[in-house]
Amino acid sequence: MPEHQPDGDERLQAYLGQRKRLIRLAYRYLGSVGEAEDIVQDAWLRFSGADTVEDAPRLLSRIVTNLSLDRLRSAQKRRETYVGPWLPEPIVEKAGSADPETSDAALDISFSVMRALERLSPLERAALFLHDLYDVPFEEVAETLKRSPAACRQMASRARKMLRQDNRRFPARETDIARYVASFEQAMASGDIEPLKRLLAEDVEFIADGGGKVAAALNILVGRDRVAKFLVGAARKNPDPEHTVVWPAIINGGPGLVVSVAGAVVQTFSFAVDAEGNIAAVYTVRNPDKLAGIDRAR
């Protein structure tokens, strides 16, 4: 007796049920919301026309992976000429909003995890995602990636090991952001950066993405003294402090800050903390192309 195949309505419901997760999957490859949404839309066209569908989530994940790998080849060429550090496009939501998908550690899109993923090859990411996120057997992973099952198993193992080595940073909490804002405002008012420095880890990193289109640090800054001085110095160069507004938001699943000047969003701040609760990394996106989709309304 032939196995039941889902009809058009069943396929659409299966696709819609996975769509949000698939966008996060594509985003983990590409770091772009718009490109991730395009990939998932194209995936629907392929999924709806597939001859057989035995496991909808698994098939969709394979389709999204193939489409993402194709898109990633051209994206990596663009990044070779990118000016300064590259950060993913921030996903900004209202502070206090709760997304159940955010609690899925396997789909963590925090900036620290996204930067760790950048150190993996596209195929290592694909082997890891397909097997660990969607339980795709390595035999099927091998078919998708055109590699042997043994090679795919090795790539996934290497990717897990590299991510574990980078797992020393944790998402900031709202209390961490509040402490940072209070200390930063105190430093701006008094000129004393010591309270701000005490919040920073000794080897804190400051990563700024301006894309060569706006002023931003062209290299990653390391060290609490250097980072604290840069943060305060950059804020003092603001040409329009009277119309500058900073408000809390959820950025890539964790608490962060959005900065607007005269109603236009000019940068976002995300943070990671170490095991002691010190700020271990500050990620700021200033590239206007990556901020265009952020709602200006508070």
Side-chain angles (χ1 to χ4, degrees):
M1 186 174 178
E3 186 175 347
H4 169 73
Q5 288 297 312
D7 60 22
D9 287 341
E10 289 175 321
R11 288 196 187 196
L12 179 59
Q13 291 305 312
Y15 166 80
L16 292 176
Q18 289 291 309
R19 186 175 182 277
K20 198 167 188 178
R21 204 164 194 260
L22 292 169
I23 288 175
R24 292 175 89 89
L25 174 64
Y27 177 83
R28 287 187 119 202
Y29 284 108
L30 301 167
S32 165
V33 179
E35 287 187 293
E37 290 174 342
D38 289 345
I39 289 288
V40 174
Q41 184 60 41
D42 290 345
W44 160 247
L45 299 177
R46 298 197 182 191
F47 177 68
S48 63
D51 293 333
T52 59
V53 177
E54 295 180 5
D55 185 317
R58 187 181 294 176
L59 176 58
L60 282 163
S61 70
R62 290 180 62 179
I63 294 172
V64 167
T65 290
N66 275 325
L67 292 170
S68 297
L69 290 176
D70 288 343
R71 186 77 66 97
L72 192 56
R73 292 186 184 95
S74 60
Q76 287 186 314
K77 289 181 180 178
R78 293 196 302 271
R79 288 181 202 172
E80 288 174 2
T81 58
Y82 199 81
V83 178
W86 179 91
L87 289 173
E89 175 188 345
I91 297 178
V92 179
E93 300 163 293
K94 288 184 179 179
S97 60
D99 183 352
E101 290 289 344
T102 302
S103 62
D104 187 345
L107 284 169
D108 186 348
I109 55 170
S110 64
F111 275 35
S112 58
V113 168
M114 290 292 290
R115 281 186 59 80
L117 290 173
E118 282 293 304
R119 299 186 185 101
L120 305 178
S121 73
L123 290 182
E124 286 173 339
R125 272 183 270 178
L128 178 70
F129 295 164
L130 287 173
H131 183 267
D132 289 19
L133 293 182
Y134 287 92
D135 298 319
V136 178
F138 280 116
E139 289 72 21
E140 287 186 37
V141 176
E143 292 176 18
T144 302
L145 303 185
K146 306 293 190 293
R147 297 292 190 276
S148 70
C152 291
R153 191 175 287 107
Q154 186 176 20
M155 285 190 291
S157 176
R158 187 162 58 240
R160 280 189 221 102
K161 183 177 180 181
M162 289 181 68
L163 287 180
R164 279 197 299 270
Q165 290 174 347
D166 278 304
N167 192 23
R168 294 163 294 156
R169 293 175 177 173
F170 308 92
R173 301 159 299 179
E174 291 183 9
T175 52
D176 298 319
I177 306 299
R179 286 167 53 229
Y180 170 82
V181 171
S183 295
F184 183 80
E185 289 177 344
Q186 182 181 349
M188 289 293 293
S190 67
D192 181 9
I193 66 170
E194 289 305 313
L196 178 60
K197 285 172 58 177
R198 285 196 288 271
L199 287 181
L200 306 177
E202 185 176 352
D203 59 349
V204 62
E205 289 186 328
F206 176 82
I207 303 106
D209 180 341
K213 302 191 175 186
V214 295
L218 292 177
N219 298 296
I220 296 174
L221 306 181
V222 181
R224 59 163 65 110
D225 190 66
R226 193 179 184 195
V227 170
K229 287 179 179 177
F230 183 88
L231 285 166
V232 173
R236 285 186 174 143
K237 293 177 183 177
N238 181 0
D240 193 2
E242 184 179 346
H243 297 101
T244 297
V245 180
V246 181
W247 72 89
I250 300 299
I251 300 177
N252 283 50
L257 299 170
V258 177
V259 182
S260 68
V261 177
V265 174
V266 296
Q267 63 184 324
T268 62
F269 282 98
S270 299
F271 305 86
V273 298
D274 62 18
E276 286 73 44
N278 301 311
I279 293 176
V282 181
Y283 310 96
T284 179
V285 177
R286 291 181 49 79
N287 185 338
D289 294 343
K290 297 183 179 183
L291 303 174
I294 299 175
D295 186 2
R296 266 66 172 171
R298 290 182 62 187

